[in-house]
Amino acid sequence: MTPYPPTTRCTAFLAHERLAWGELRHVAIKVKQRFPSADHVPELWVFSDQDGTAIELDLRGSVADVTHRYALSGQSAVQLPPAPAAEDAPKRGRGRPKLGVVPREITLLPRHWQWLNAQPGGASVALRKLVEDARKLHEGADRVRQSQERCYRFMSAMAGNLPGFEEATRALFARDFASLESHIAIWPDDLRDHVLMLAGNALHA
């Protein structure tokens, strides 16, 4: 079963033709309606619009089967651990807010722990504050990098053998929009348009 929830935005390609796009649950149904007797469609590619990762559709059975399968996939895609029994639930201090924190082990040098422990609120509060500050500081750069990576994943899977691929890749990571457009100008229309859509945030951020 797909690890992606049914509301994941994605795009389906049949070879280089854009076949369907939208939420995963709708794309799966559209593809099955197009190929009602097929459990597997050669040259079918489905990509997450969020991260550019290929998604394998399970088209077994009828249209109703596919509809049911992807309606349920979102319920099982993210499994939360069962809530602890009342007698097993950890006790919280009076008035202490439930932050939803996840305990994990990290390794630091003694001088790092010494500094963290000396901060107001202790090590955990200081670490959370440092992470939040870093997220805000690097938000723009992270968005650019993620856009470049998702576009590169899609290009590698769909256009790795097309002329101009290497030059287009260099232009993508150099954030050179004009060069990217030039190098992919002869690519199939749907493929070219999707590359430019995925690259948009990286090139215009």
Side-chain angles (χ1 to χ4, degrees), residues 148-164:
Q148 289 171 325
E149 290 175 352
R150 70 172 179 174
C151 186
Y152 178 73
R153 292 189 192 103
F154 175 77
M155 289 171 58
S156 296
M158 295 295 289
N161 295 324
L162 293 182

Side-chain angles (χ1 to χ4, degrees), residues 101-129:
V101 296
V102 179
R104 290 184 181 177
E105 181 180 346
I106 62 171
T107 303
L108 298 174
L109 294 173
R111 64 176 182 271
H112 298 149
W113 284 117
Q114 184 178 9
W115 183 88
L116 286 169
N117 289 328
Q119 302 308 302
S124 294
V125 171
L127 280 173
R128 287 197 292 269
K129 185 176 185 300

